[in-house]
PDB file of all heavy atoms in Angstrom:
ATOM      1  N   THR A 660      -6.407  -7.270  22.509  1.00 98.00           N
ATOM      2  CA  THR A 660      -6.300  -6.755  23.858  1.00 98.00           C
ATOM      3  C   THR A 660      -5.707  -7.693  24.802  1.00 98.00           C
ATOM      4  O   THR A 660      -5.026  -7.360  25.861  1.00 98.00           O
ATOM      5  CB  THR A 660      -7.812  -6.421  24.354  1.00 98.00           C
ATOM      6  OG1 THR A 660      -8.562  -7.627  24.442  1.00 98.00           O
ATOM      7  CG2 THR A 660      -8.477  -5.424  23.631  1.00 98.00           C
ATOM      8  N   LYS A 661      -5.693  -8.939  24.509  1.00 98.00           N
ATOM      9  CA  LYS A 661      -4.864 -10.022  25.286  1.00 98.00           C
ATOM     10  C   LYS A 661      -3.350  -9.839  25.144  1.00 98.00           C
ATOM     11  O   LYS A 661      -2.618  -9.965  26.025  1.00 98.00           O
ATOM     12  CB  LYS A 661      -5.345 -11.441  24.950  1.00 98.00           C
ATOM     13  CG  LYS A 661      -6.748 -11.791  25.380  1.00 98.00           C
ATOM     14  CD  LYS A 661      -7.133 -13.272  25.183  1.00 98.00           C
ATOM     15  CE  LYS A 661      -6.594 -14.095  26.423  1.00 98.00           C
ATOM     16  NZ  LYS A 661      -7.228 -15.345  26.422  1.00 98.00           N
ATOM     17  N   VAL A 662      -3.048  -9.533  23.866  1.00 98.00           N
ATOM     18  CA  VAL A 662      -1.621  -9.241  23.571  1.00 98.00           C
ATOM     19  C   VAL A 662      -1.200  -8.036  24.224  1.00 98.00           C
ATOM     20  O   VAL A 662      -0.115  -7.936  24.883  1.00 98.00           O
ATOM     21  CB  VAL A 662      -1.442  -9.170  21.931  1.00 98.00           C
ATOM     22  CG1 VAL A 662       0.056  -8.762  21.671  1.00 98.00           C
ATOM     23  CG2 VAL A 662      -1.731 -10.430  21.404  1.00 98.00           C
ATOM     24  N   GLN A 663      -2.095  -6.932  24.198  1.00 98.00           N
ATOM     25  CA  GLN A 663      -1.748  -5.633  24.815  1.00 98.00           C
ATOM     26  C   GLN A 663      -1.536  -5.881  26.309  1.00 98.00           C
ATOM     27  O   GLN A 663      -0.478  -5.414  26.958  1.00 98.00           O
ATOM     28  CB  GLN A 663      -2.903  -4.750  24.734  1.00 98.00           C
ATOM     29  CG  GLN A 663      -2.786  -3.350  25.310  1.00 98.00           C
ATOM     30  CD  GLN A 663      -4.144  -2.659  25.717  1.00 98.00           C
ATOM     31  OE1 GLN A 663      -5.088  -3.237  25.546  1.00 98.00           O
ATOM     32  NE2 GLN A 663      -3.952  -1.373  26.039  1.00 98.00           N
ATOM     33  N   ASP A 664      -2.350  -6.723  27.047  1.00 98.00           N
ATOM     34  CA  ASP A 664      -2.164  -6.947  28.449  1.00 98.00           C
ATOM     35  C   ASP A 664      -0.872  -7.799  28.696  1.00 98.00           C
ATOM     36  O   ASP A 664      -0.176  -7.413  29.656  1.00 98.00           O
ATOM     37  CB  ASP A 664      -3.321  -7.779  28.906  1.00 98.00           C
ATOM     38  CG  ASP A 664      -3.350  -8.050  30.388  1.00 98.00           C
ATOM     39  OD1 ASP A 664      -2.996  -7.155  31.207  1.00 98.00           O
ATOM     40  OD2 ASP A 664      -3.707  -9.217  30.745  1.00 98.00           O
ATOM     41  N   ALA A 665      -0.645  -8.762  27.864  1.00 98.00           N
ATOM     42  CA  ALA A 665       0.495  -9.634  28.006  1.00 98.00           C
ATOM     43  C   ALA A 665       1.872  -8.762  27.848  1.00 98.00           C
ATOM     44  O   ALA A 665       2.851  -9.065  28.453  1.00 98.00           O
ATOM     45  CB  ALA A 665       0.552 -10.808  27.007  1.00 98.00           C
ATOM     46  N   LEU A 666       1.757  -7.767  27.030  1.00 98.00           N
ATOM     47  CA  LEU A 666       3.017  -6.963  26.853  1.00 98.00           C
ATOM     48  C   LEU A 666       3.013  -5.772  27.882  1.00 98.00           C
ATOM     49  O   LEU A 666       4.010  -5.006  27.851  1.00 98.00           O
ATOM     50  CB  LEU A 666       2.937  -6.322  25.377  1.00 98.00           C
ATOM     51  CG  LEU A 666       3.060  -7.212  24.192  1.00 98.00           C
ATOM     52  CD1 LEU A 666       2.932  -6.488  22.911  1.00 98.00           C
ATOM     53  CD2 LEU A 666       4.423  -8.052  24.297  1.00 98.00           C
ATOM     54  N   GLY A 667       2.027  -5.730  28.717  1.00 98.00           N
ATOM     55  CA  GLY A 667       2.154  -4.704  29.712  1.00 98.00           C
ATOM     56  C   GLY A 667       1.807  -3.278  29.254  1.00 98.00           C
ATOM     57  O   GLY A 667       2.248  -2.219  29.880  1.00 98.00           O
ATOM     58  N   ILE A 668       1.091  -3.234  28.074  1.00 98.00           N
ATOM     59  CA  ILE A 668       0.833  -1.768  27.540  1.00 98.00           C
ATOM     60  C   ILE A 668      -0.520  -1.439  28.249  1.00 98.00           C
ATOM     61  O   ILE A 668      -1.560  -2.005  28.027  1.00 98.00           O
ATOM     62  CB  ILE A 668       0.671  -1.840  26.008  1.00 98.00           C
ATOM     63  CG1 ILE A 668       1.968  -2.468  25.424  1.00 98.00           C
ATOM     64  CG2 ILE A 668       0.259  -0.402  25.497  1.00 98.00           C
ATOM     65  CD1 ILE A 668       1.711  -2.778  23.921  1.00 98.00           C
ATOM     66  N   VAL A 669      -0.510  -0.207  28.924  1.00 94.00           N
ATOM     67  CA  VAL A 669      -1.758   0.119  29.698  1.00 94.00           C
ATOM     68  C   VAL A 669      -2.689   0.904  28.925  1.00 94.00           C
ATOM     69  O   VAL A 669      -3.910   0.822  29.184  1.00 94.00           O
ATOM     70  CB  VAL A 669      -1.328   0.834  30.964  1.00 94.00           C
ATOM     71  CG1 VAL A 669      -0.864  -0.082  31.959  1.00 94.00           C
ATOM     72  CG2 VAL A 669      -0.511   1.974  30.748  1.00 94.00           C
ATOM     73  N   ASP A 670      -2.339   1.576  27.857  1.00 97.00           N
ATOM     74  CA  ASP A 670      -3.223   2.327  26.978  1.00 97.00           C
ATOM     75  C   ASP A 670      -2.834   2.412  25.598  1.00 97.00           C
ATOM     76  O   ASP A 670      -1.757   2.975  25.336  1.00 97.00           O
ATOM     77  CB  ASP A 670      -3.521   3.720  27.666  1.00 97.00           C
ATOM     78  CG  ASP A 670      -4.637   4.540  26.949  1.00 97.00           C
ATOM     79  OD1 ASP A 670      -5.414   3.833  26.174  1.00 97.00           O
ATOM     80  OD2 ASP A 670      -4.669   5.686  27.112  1.00 97.00           O
ATOM     81  N   CYS A 671      -3.542   1.870  24.635  1.00 98.00           N
ATOM     82  CA  CYS A 671      -3.318   2.063  23.259  1.00 98.00           C
ATOM     83  C   CYS A 671      -4.654   1.664  22.599  1.00 98.00           C
ATOM     84  O   CYS A 671      -5.576   1.117  23.147  1.00 98.00           O
ATOM     85  CB  CYS A 671      -2.185   1.243  22.826  1.00 98.00           C
ATOM     86  SG  CYS A 671      -2.472  -0.656  22.753  1.00 98.00           S
ATOM     87  N   VAL A 672      -4.626   1.839  21.281  1.00 98.00           N
ATOM     88  CA  VAL A 672      -5.882   1.314  20.502  1.00 98.00           C
ATOM     89  C   VAL A 672      -5.518  -0.150  20.116  1.00 98.00           C
ATOM     90  O   VAL A 672      -4.390  -0.432  19.738  1.00 98.00           O
ATOM     91  CB  VAL A 672      -5.905   2.242  19.158  1.00 98.00           C
ATOM     92  CG1 VAL A 672      -7.098   1.601  18.271  1.00 98.00           C
ATOM     93  CG2 VAL A 672      -6.170   3.622  19.452  1.00 98.00           C
TER      94      VAL A 672
END
Side-chain angles (χ1 to χ4, degrees):
T660 61
K661 293 191 84 167
V662 174
Q663 177 200 14
D664 182 41
L666 293 175
I668 304 169
V669 286
D670 186 16
C671 72
V672 176

